[in-house]
Amino acid sequence: MKKILFTFLSVLLLTACTTETVSDAKQEKNQPHIYPDYLGVTIPVNIAPLNFGMANETVLLVDAVVTDSKGNSIHSQGEESVDFDIDDWHDLLAQNTGDSISVTVSAKYEDGWHTYRPFSIYVSSDSIDYGICYRLIEPGYEVWSKMGIYERDLSSFEERALIENTQFEGCVNCHSFNRGNPADMSLHIRGPHGATLLRQNNGPMTAYDTKTDQTLGLCVYPYWHPSGKYVAYSTNSTQQLFHAADSNRVEVFDEASDLQVYDVNKNELILSPLLKQESVYETYPVFSADGRSLYFCAARALPEGSHSLDSIRYNLCRIDFNPETGEFGNRIDTIINAEAQNKSVSFPRPSYDGRFLCYTLSDYGQFSIWHHEADLYLLDFATGESRSMVGANSKDTESFHNWSTNSRWMVLSSRRDDGLFTRPYFCHVDAKGNVSKAFMLPQRNPHRFYRDRFLSFNVPDFIIAPTNFDGHEASGLINDEYRKKIGVRK
């Protein structure tokens, strides 16, 4: 009996692993239409397998053979998508760093096999960081349901929840790390248990009440100083509404907003009258690579009672910052006058090598995630020129983005897939500012993953190692009533 059972299981396993030979295939002149679109992309040598299926889901089988110029190859076949062996995939990439690999795709339909013209993938010698951290949230508007902060290993398909709002009542957002190092971390909680969780040098996490009698409200939109001694925040009084002409878009806008820098060691906010003007909305602060400048977005405030939201346009501005003394400069410079172009800047992000600054450009406002016209632009500090990141952009929304620690890769939020859900894409930016075609975050079965998971990836950021974030400890701090107060520098 045991022998019969063993034979049956062996046959079952063999049947499950058997692939069908591609035979009598019609040779197509075109390259395949696959999902996700990985044709001609540049990838890091340590990225997870780029599994894919045919964009036409009526296909019966999809088959892919990946080869290199040395005669090495890997093969996969599946009903919904190909699923390359992860070790074979990484071995092949390692053998072809700085070179291209070729992918030949065949698809079986009711009328038989079709083999398409091969396409290439370039394997960059620039590696990518360990992973990314992001919020998963339903693409809703005025209320939140289940959401959480998650981390994903980019060399595999492993995802881990750091904390979910099933552990407390409220909204979790504004996660930030110091140049991808999770040892320095800021995390904001909204709702009845509102707090800012902060840790430094992998020390204990502390829950703060960041509202003071000299500031508008709680500290949000954090960005760490490279020294780890400071965190730049904005404080915003925001509202949101639907567009009457576009039911698929919500607008978030400021009624007031200021900037401040938090001195972590002295537990006090550093303020400047130049950064808290009633006639100006200041938001999205970021430190320069050398830590001696603070970049931010600024717009002229609307007159009281005005509702002309499409007239709010933010420029990219800069003010000096002295990290030795914690003092601001005495003037504000306009770096990009987007208002003069009838455009608006949001989400400035300087590269860590000090060469570039990436920002989002849209028609108006600072909440570009629902602006279908929003695109990414690259400011070259060496030349002062600013240009569209054509390879990374699409016909739909490109919005939030962050740099890898080696300043060669960018993760960006895009709605190009279906116009509704925000998903993470990656592009390569070389030392001259040349931008490669963006590719979607790989999944083991991309059709099933993105079709069945009705969630948007929000505020993706690189991490250089696992966060070692204790969600149980964090939820205990959130549910506790204690909040450490912060002061204001005299």
Side-chain angles (χ1 to χ4, degrees), residues 35-36 51-53 57 79-83 157 442-452:
Y35 178 86
N51 295 339
F52 61 84
E57 293 189 55
E79 294 182 357
E80 291 184 319
S81 69
V82 294
D83 184 7
F157 303 107
Q443 305 294 346
R444 186 173 295 282
N445 185 327
H447 267 307
R448 183 167 296 184
F449 182 93
Y450 290 116
R451 179 184 61 207
D452 296 346

Side-chain angles (χ1 to χ4, degrees), residues 466-479:
T467 58
N468 294 322
F469 184 89
D470 189 332
H472 179 73
E473 174 194 4
S475 62
L477 290 172
I478 295 169
N479 289 312

Side-chain angles (χ1 to χ4, degrees), residues 135 144-145 147-150 162-176 185-199 205-211 217-222 233-234 236 469-483:
R135 181 171 68 159
W144 61 72
S145 55
M147 67 172 68
I149 305 293
Y150 302 81
L162 305 189
I163 190 168
E164 297 174 317
N165 68 343
T166 54
Q167 299 168 260
F168 61 94
E169 182 183 357
C171 166
V172 56
N173 66 350
C174 289
H175 54 281
S176 178
M185 181 177 181
S186 176
L187 177 65
H188 185 60
I189 309 296
R190 287 188 294 170
H193 301 282
T196 293
L197 303 185
L198 200 69
R199 77 176 179 192
M205 189 164 288
T206 304
Y208 289 84
D209 176 3
T210 56
K211 173 70 175 72
L218 299 172
C219 291
V220 295
Y221 302 145
Y233 289 101
S234 69
N236 304 62
F469 184 89
D470 189 332
H472 179 73
E473 174 194 4
S475 62
L477 290 172
I478 295 169
N479 289 312
D480 194 298
E481 293 183 0
Y482 173 75
R483 299 290 182 265

Side-chain angles (χ1 to χ4, degrees), residues 265-284:
N265 296 326
K266 296 182 179 180
N267 188 36
E268 58 185 17
L269 293 177
I270 306 169
L271 308 180
S272 167
L274 294 177
L275 300 175
K276 55 194 311 289
Q277 303 178 60
E278 291 187 5
S279 61
V280 178
Y281 301 146
E282 304 100 345
T283 193
Y284 298 141

Side-chain angles (χ1 to χ4, degrees), residues 132-141 145-150 159 172 175 248 367 369-370 397 400 412-425 441 443 449-450 452-460:
I132 57 173
C133 187
Y134 44 82
R135 181 171 68 159
L136 286 177
I137 185 173
E138 294 178 0
Y141 305 105
S145 55
K146 182 182 177 181
M147 67 172 68
I149 305 293
Y150 302 81
E159 179 185 76
V172 56
H175 54 281
N248 199 34
F367 191 73
I369 195 65
W370 279 106
T397 306
F400 193 84
L412 56 111
S413 302
S414 179
R415 292 190 190 271
R416 73 186 66 188
D417 193 27
D418 55 17
L420 178 62
F421 293 94
T422 305
R423 283 158 183 159
Y425 283 73
L441 174 66
Q443 305 294 346
F449 182 93
Y450 290 116
D452 296 346
R453 200 178 203 183
F454 297 111
L455 297 170
S456 280
F457 289 75
N458 184 248
V459 193

Side-chain angles (χ1 to χ4, degrees), residues 295-340:
Y295 290 92
F296 59 97
C297 299
R300 289 181 295 174
L302 286 178
E304 187 174 352
S306 173
H307 297 285
S308 302
L309 301 182
D310 58 0
S311 67
I312 303 177
R313 293 188 170 90
Y314 287 79
N315 295 325
L316 178 65
C317 298
R318 187 196 69 86
I319 190 171
D320 288 338
F321 180 78
N322 187 330
E324 284 78 33
T325 63
E327 295 177 334
F328 292 103
N330 56 14
R331 75 174 195 183
I332 291 175
D333 297 317
T334 298
I335 306 302
I336 295 177
N337 189 343
E339 185 179 19

